[in-house]
Amino acid sequence: MIEPRERQNPFGLPDTLLRSLDALSRKPPKDETRGVLRQLVEQRDWSLEELAELLPQSDRSLLNNHIRPLAKTGELVYDARSRRVRRRRS
């Protein structure tokens, strides 16, 4: 994860979302991580590696603890072949 003071904004994220990312602790509660994850996928599609760069978890942890459960409930879509995450389109 990139430290807050070093964070650039290569993805063009809104300032409010950057502040939410910066506010996450090293091991945030699941609901906080999932809240920020939901905000991120509202912005655009992401690779698992990009999300692991932004969030304070490894790609494996994000996938097992957050992305797969959210995909199972239909809140987002995970494509295992491309390792990309996107919001569920209505």
Side-chain angles (χ1 to χ4, degrees):
M1 180 176 127
I2 300 170
E3 293 301 320
R5 64 185 146 278
E6 299 173 9
R7 188 184 306 278
Q8 302 290 311
N9 192 0
F11 302 113
L13 298 173
D15 288 341
T16 54
L17 185 49
L18 285 176
R19 284 193 293 275
S20 294
L21 285 164
D22 289 344
L24 290 175
S25 64
R26 284 255 185 237
K27 190 169 180 174
K30 282 186 181 183
D31 60 327
E32 288 181 24
T33 300
R34 290 179 183 187
V36 174
L37 185 56
R38 287 181 191 101
Q39 291 177 55
L40 285 166
V41 299
E42 284 297 319
Q43 298 296 313
R44 67 176 186 89
D45 296 357
W46 297 90
S47 71
L48 188 55
E49 291 75 18
E50 289 171 330
L51 291 171
E53 185 178 322
L54 290 168
L55 294 161
Q57 283 99 15
S58 67
D59 56 351
R60 182 182 214 170
S61 176
L62 280 171
L63 182 60
N64 293 331
N65 297 320
H66 304 289
I67 294 169
R68 283 189 176 135
L70 290 171
K72 188 174 182 178
T73 64
E75 291 185 64
L76 54 80
V77 176
Y78 175 65
D79 180 346
R81 176 172 277 165
S82 66
R83 293 177 49 96
R84 295 201 62 84
V85 181
R86 65 175 173 82
R87 68 182 169 93
R88 181 179 169 91
R89 290 171 174 80
S90 310

